[in-house]
Amino acid sequence: MTEKAPDMDHDIRARVVTLEHSSADKERRLSDLEAWKAQREIESARHDEKWNAMEARIDTRFSGLESSVGDIKKTLSHINWLIIGGIITGVVAFLIKGGFAP
C-alpha cells in the first residue's frame, strides 16, 4: 500500500494542476466575454444615439419641406386666380366693346 501512495499522490497532483489551469482558462474566457459584452453595449448605445440624431435631422428636413410645399401651393393658387381673373376680364372687355354684335 505504501508503494501505490506516491503514484496516487502524483496522479492527484496532476489532476489538481489540470483543474487549476482549466479554472484559470475559464476565468480568462469569462472576463473576455464580459469585456466583449461591455464593448457591444457601448457600440449599441452609440448606434442608438446616431439613429436618434438622424431621425431628428430627417424630421427637421421634412417639416421644412412641408412648409415649402405649402408656400408653393399658395403661390400656384394666386397664379391660377390671376389667370382666371385675366380671362374673365378679357371676356368682359370684349363684351363691353361690342363683342359679338353684327
Side-chain angles (χ1 to χ4, degrees), residues 61-94:
R61 284 186 179 180
F62 276 126
S63 61
L65 286 175
E66 288 173 355
S67 65
S68 297
V69 168
D71 292 342
I72 291 171
K73 280 184 175 181
K74 287 179 186 177
T75 304
L76 287 176
S77 176
H78 289 294
I79 290 172
N80 284 336
W81 280 109
L82 287 173
I83 292 171
I84 292 170
I87 292 171
I88 292 172
T89 303
V91 170
V92 170
F94 179 72

Side-chain angles (χ1 to χ4, degrees), residues 16-95:
V16 169
V17 168
T18 304
L19 288 174
E20 287 176 349
H21 288 294
S22 174
S23 175
D25 184 48
K26 288 178 183 175
E27 287 179 21
R28 183 190 54 79
R29 289 178 55 201
L30 181 62
S31 65
D32 289 346
L33 283 173
E34 288 173 344
W36 175 80
K37 181 184 174 197
Q39 185 66 27
R40 291 296 297 159
E41 287 175 351
I42 291 169
E43 288 176 9
S44 176
R46 286 181 182 161
H47 177 63
D48 290 345
E49 287 176 14
K50 287 180 183 178
W51 183 257
N52 291 337
M54 185 175 63
E55 281 183 343
R57 285 193 308 262
I58 289 172
D59 289 344
T60 303
R61 284 186 179 180
F62 276 126
S63 61
L65 286 175
E66 288 173 355
S67 65
S68 297
V69 168
D71 292 342
I72 291 171
K73 280 184 175 181
K74 287 179 186 177
T75 304
L76 287 176
S77 176
H78 289 294
I79 290 172
N80 284 336
W81 280 109
L82 287 173
I83 292 171
I84 292 170
I87 292 171
I88 292 172
T89 303
V91 170
V92 170
F94 179 72
L95 291 175

